[in-house]
Amino acid sequence: MRVIPVSTSDATLLVTKLPEVKVRDRQTGEVAVDPVTNQRLMTLELVFIAAGGSDMIKVTVPEQGIGDGLMMGAPVFLSGLVARPWESEFGGRARHGIAYRADAVMVSSPAPAQG
């Protein structure tokens, strides 16, 4: 599977939906876990603002990587953000998209006042 590193250095990221446990199987309620660390996975939604435009993205983060103080509208930064293109077929219909995964999400500290 292709993994594409994503730079957020020239972007503004704002929380639009607080982290919640990622469900692997909606029918059984099975919680998604990282296959290597066995940590529960969380998802949160962000608005990604860059290059004069914006997009809503959903990012998966291990539970341990969720920083303190996240709140709606908070500016954040992501550590180790990657994009993974995916495609599948369900009910005879082809689907595709991009899954985003980060090692951590932390509240951005405001820039110190100049003067």
Side-chain angles (χ1 to χ4, degrees):
M1 179 182 293
R2 297 170 291 173
V3 176
I4 304 164
V6 178
S7 172
T8 59
S9 60
D10 292 331
T12 299
L13 301 162
L14 304 172
V15 176
T16 58
K17 186 173 183 186
L18 293 172
E20 54 187 40
V21 174
K22 182 174 183 174
V23 177
R24 181 170 188 234
D25 185 329
R26 290 185 187 111
Q27 291 182 335
T28 65
E30 178 185 1
V31 172
V33 296
D34 183 283
V36 176
T37 65
N38 209 33
Q39 286 186 55
R40 287 190 326 168
L41 296 175
M42 309 292 285
T43 60
L44 71 153
E45 293 181 17
L46 307 171
V47 62
F48 188 107
I49 305 166
S54 66
D55 284 299
M56 298 293 291
I57 63 171
K58 182 182 280 190
V59 181
T60 299
V61 179
E63 188 170 31
Q64 184 178 342
I66 302 292
D68 294 332
L70 290 182
M71 64 180 79
M72 293 294 291
V76 296
F77 68 91
L78 298 169
S79 171
L81 180 63
V82 295
R84 289 185 172 107
W86 61 268
E87 58 184 56
S88 67
E89 189 172 320
F90 183 77
R93 299 182 76 190
R95 297 177 54 180
H96 63 278
I98 300 172
Y100 293 95
R101 171 87 184 247
D103 297 329
V105 57
M106 309 295 283
V107 173
S108 296
S109 52
Q114 300 292 321

